[in-house]
Amino acid sequence: MSADAVTMEKIVSLCKRRGFIFQSSEIYGGLASTYDYGHYGVLLKSNVKAEWWRANVQQRDDMVALDAAILMHPRTWEASGHLEGFTDPLVQCLGKCKRRWRLDHLEEAAQAEGRETTGLKCPECGGDLSEPRNFNLMFQTNMGPVQDEGSTIYLRPETAQGIFVNFKNVMQFARKKPPFGIAQVGKAFRNEITPGNFIFRTREFEQMEIEFFVPPDQAPEWHERWMADRMRWYTDLGLRPDHLQLRAHGEDELSHYSSATSDIEYLFPMGWSELEGIANRGDFDLSRHAEYAHEKMDYVEPGTGERYVPHVIEPSAGADRGTLAFMVDAYDEEEVEGRERVLLRLHPRLAPVKVAVLPLVNKDGQPERAQEVYENLRGRMPAEFDTGGSIGKRYRRQDEIGTPWGVTVDHQTMEDGTVTLRDRDTLDQSRIAIDELGEELERRLAAPWVSPKVGA
Ligand code: GAP
C-alpha cells in the first residue's frame, strides 16, 4: 500500500468497527471531541504507557516515579504562570456561522498557503473575524459546597506541576541527586478552542511527562541527550524514521517557561504535527514555586555545600497522541488472493493481543484442543480464542486489531500435536509442536522488530 492511503477517516472507522475507541456519551448524541476507549484501545494505550515506563524508569537508574493528584492548590497555577499566560488567541466569526477559531492556527494556515496573515476571514463562511482575545485554557471547578471565588480550583492542564511541587519530597526519599528525573503519567485537561483530528487534540487527555533535574551548566547537553533518546523510543517501537522529525521552536513559539524547545513531529494524515515536546525549562518552575510557597527548592551538594536550583529538561509526550501515531503508522491495506486485507502492523509489544488460537473447524475435537492451547498460552501473554465464523473471517478480524501471530489447530494437530503458526506481516505459515509454542512466541516478542512498511 502507498503510505498515503491511510486517512484519519479510515483510522476512525477501524477504531469504531473493532472497538478501540468510541465517541463519548454516544447515546446522547456524543460530547464533542471526547472519546472513550474500548477493550482493544485500552490494551493498546496501556502497552504504549508500559513501554514508556519500561524505557524511562525500569531501564534507567536516574529516574523515579510519581502519581500526583489532578486537583492541586490554586496557588500552583499562579506560580506556574498558567493563570496569567496559558491562553490561546480566540477570534469569533462575526458573519453567519459564528464559529470560534484560534487566530494562530488561521495565521499558520494562511502562511502555509502563501496568503497574507492580516485581514483574515472566517474559513467556514467567509465572514469578518472579531478582535482576538486571550482565552485561558484551564477548566475551573469549585471545591467544597460553597461556590465562591475562594473555592475555585482547576483541573490540571499538565501533569508537570505535580512533579515540581513534589520536588522536595522526592529529593528527600528517593536518595537521588541531579542529574535525575521524575516520571509521571496521568490525565490533563484543556478547554481547547479547536479540538479535533480524532484523539489528536481533545479536552481531556493523558500525558507521559518527565522532569529531569540537572546542574545548570549541564542543561544544554541533557536537552540534546533527551531529544535523541525520545526519538529512538519511537523508532524502536516501529514508527518509520522518515515519518518522524525534530523541529526546534522559533523565538515567537516558545512557552512562557522555556528557553529552548524542540518538538518531535509525526507525519499524521493532516500533515506534520507535534507528538512530543522536549523543553529546556531552566530554573523557571522551581524558582517560581520557591517564591510563591516560601520554600527553598535548592539542591545542596553534601561534601562541598554548593547550592543551586536545578535546571529542568522536560520530555512531555501525549499517550493518546502516541497511540494515534502508532495506529496511523501501522495501518495497511493489501490485496491477498483477490481480496482486500486491512491490517495494523503494530510492533508485537504494542499489539493488544499477541496470539490468536483458532480451531480450523468447529468439530472433530479441534475446538477443545484449541481451547487447551489457548489456556496454556494466555498465562504467558495476552491471547484470544475464537471459534466464530470462517477461518478467513477470524484472521481478518485479528489482522485488523494487529495480532502478530495466529495459531490454527487443524486435522494434523489431532494426529501429531503440531499447529500452524501464521505471521501477520509476511503471511508465512509454519508448523510447530504445541510444546514449543510458548517459548517460540516469547522469543519473537523479545526480538528487535522493524516495521515491514519501512522503505516500502
Ligand atoms: N508540560 C509541558 C506540556 O504540557 P505541551 O506541549 O503543551 O507541553 C505535551 O503538551 C504533550 O501533551 C503534547 O506534545 C501532546 O502529545 C500532548 N497534548 C497536549 N495537548 C493535547 C490535547 N489537547 N490533546 C491531546 N494531547 C495533547
Side-chain angles (χ1 to χ4, degrees):
M1 176 191 104
S2 100
D4 302 326
V6 58
T7 61
M8 203 60 98
E9 289 71 31
K10 287 182 183 177
I11 296 291
V12 173
S13 156
L14 173 64
C15 282
K16 191 168 164 100
R17 190 164 72 243
R18 294 299 176 198
F20 279 85
I21 299 169
F22 318 103
Q23 174 77 65
S24 169
S25 319
E26 205 168 36
I27 60 167
Y28 290 105
L31 183 66
S33 301
T34 314
Y35 295 95
D36 297 342
Y37 284 71
H39 182 67
Y40 296 123
V42 172
L43 297 181
L44 175 58
K45 186 158 73 142
S46 300
N47 290 342
V48 170
K49 291 185 282 183
E51 289 300 326
W52 186 89
W53 283 117
R54 193 157 91 110
N56 294 303
V57 179
Q58 183 186 329
Q59 292 186 329
R60 300 184 71 109
D61 296 319
D62 55 4
M63 193 81 74
V64 294
L66 180 76
D67 186 5
I70 287 173
L71 303 178
M72 300 181 68
H73 195 290
R75 288 277 282 170
T76 307
W77 309 111
E78 285 175 44
S80 69
H82 281 82
L83 260 183
E84 201 183 323
F86 194 53
T87 56
D88 280 335
L90 168 73
V91 288
Q92 183 164 14
C93 170
L94 302 172
K96 240 206 259 152
C97 76
K98 307 284 184 250
R99 274 189 66 171
R100 295 185 171 87
W101 304 94
R102 261 179 71 171
L103 182 60
D104 54 331
H105 283 177
L106 299 186
E107 287 170 345
E108 276 165 26
Q111 220 159 25
E113 291 165 14
R115 289 185 283 119
E116 285 290 318
T117 53
T118 51
L120 292 169
K121 300 282 181 195
C122 172
E124 185 79 8
C125 72
D128 287 338
L129 295 173
S130 68
E131 283 300 308
R133 76 176 168 89
N134 285 336
F135 173 77
N136 196 296
L137 301 185
M138 284 201 294
F139 277 100
Q140 277 187 31
T141 186
N142 293 87
M143 194 154 197
V146 182
Q147 297 199 3
D148 59 17
E149 222 176 85
S151 68
T152 303
I153 57 164
Y154 303 90
L155 301 187
R156 66 181 177 196
E158 60 172 16
T159 63
Q161 297 304 322
I163 297 180
F164 295 127
V165 303
N166 276 295
F167 175 72
K168 279 187 71 175
N169 281 338
V170 175
M171 278 294 291
Q172 211 172 339
F173 295 108
R175 294 189 296 128
K176 298 281 181 211
K177 55 181 269 186
F180 86 100
I182 304 177
Q184 172 165 232
V185 173
K187 286 256 169 145
F189 303 83
R190 295 180 190 178
N191 199 0
E192 299 277 3
I193 298 170
T194 49
N197 283 315
F198 196 33
I199 54 168
F200 179 82
R201 181 172 284 109
T202 50
R203 297 193 170 106
E204 171 179 347
F205 55 95
E206 251 183 308
Q207 290 189 311
M208 309 187 289
E209 295 205 292
I210 293 166
E211 307 304 328
F212 201 77
F213 301 94
V214 300
D217 60 334
Q218 293 181 21
E221 173 201 335
W222 277 103
H223 194 205
E224 293 291 328
R225 282 170 73 163
W226 273 110
M227 288 191 278
D229 265 30
R230 294 300 304 145
M231 285 288 276
R232 200 172 324 112
W233 185 79
Y234 289 106
T235 52
D236 281 354
L237 287 172
L239 285 197
R240 287 164 293 173
D242 62 358
H243 280 58
L244 278 175
Q245 70 181 17
L246 258 177
R247 188 185 63 81
H249 280 206
E251 281 290 322
D252 54 336
E253 270 183 283
L254 289 175
S255 310
H256 59 275
Y257 50 72
S258 171
S259 61
T261 296
S262 285
D263 286 343
I264 296 181
E265 295 185 332
Y266 177 73
L267 188 51
F268 285 97
M270 67 279 188
W272 288 103
S273 311
E274 176 186 344
L275 196 50
E276 168 162 352
I278 304 168
N280 181 347
R281 294 180 79 124
D283 65 356
F284 177 83
D285 303 273
L286 289 183
S287 297
R288 292 275 288 202
H289 286 301
E291 182 190 337
Y292 280 69
H294 309 295
E295 285 274 357
K296 283 207 166 3
M297 293 285 188
D298 307 3
Y299 169 72
V300 185
E301 187 69 46
T304 62
E306 185 201 352
R307 173 183 283 277
Y308 61 86
V309 178
H311 282 210
V312 172
I313 305 302
E314 178 196 62
S316 172
D320 308 273
R321 231 175 244 191
T323 301
L324 180 62
F326 285 118
M327 288 186 92
V328 165
D329 210 69
Y331 185 93
D332 211 351
E333 293 167 356
E334 62 180 18
E335 204 175 291
V336 180
E337 292 166 3
R339 301 189 65 164
E340 189 190 60
R341 183 168 90 112
V342 172
L343 70 161
L344 289 183
R345 299 189 191 274
L346 289 166
H347 191 297
R349 286 209 309 270
L350 292 181
V353 176
K354 313 302 178 197
V355 57
V357 184
L358 317 170
L360 184 61
V361 291
N362 262 320
K363 56 182 186 181
D364 304 334
Q366 289 181 22
E368 293 76 11
R369 191 73 179 101
Q371 171 104 31
E372 259 175 53
V373 173
Y374 160 70
E375 300 278 342
N376 282 329
L377 282 178
R378 76 166 172 188
R380 303 174 92 136
M381 62 189 64
E384 249 185 31
F385 174 59
D386 190 0
T387 58
S390 73
I391 190 80
K393 206 166 159 197
R394 282 178 277 160
Y395 270 134
R396 279 203 293 285
R397 196 175 152 270
Q398 294 298 333
D399 285 340
E400 285 202 345
I401 64 168
T403 306
W405 302 295
V407 167
T408 314
V409 168
D410 55 17
H411 178 67
Q412 194 180 332
T413 312
M414 309 310 283
E415 289 175 355
D416 66 5
T418 64
V419 287
T420 305
L421 180 53
R422 172 194 188 259
D423 184 284
R424 173 198 69 200
D425 296 325
T426 59
L427 289 178
D428 279 350
Q429 305 219 16
S430 52
R431 282 209 86 83
I432 180 169
I434 287 173
D435 295 348
E436 294 165 17
L437 201 51
E439 224 163 279
E440 171 61 15
L441 291 178
E442 276 173 353
R443 186 193 66 72
R444 291 187 185 192
L445 199 52
W449 184 87
V450 177
S451 167
K453 288 175 75 178
V454 170

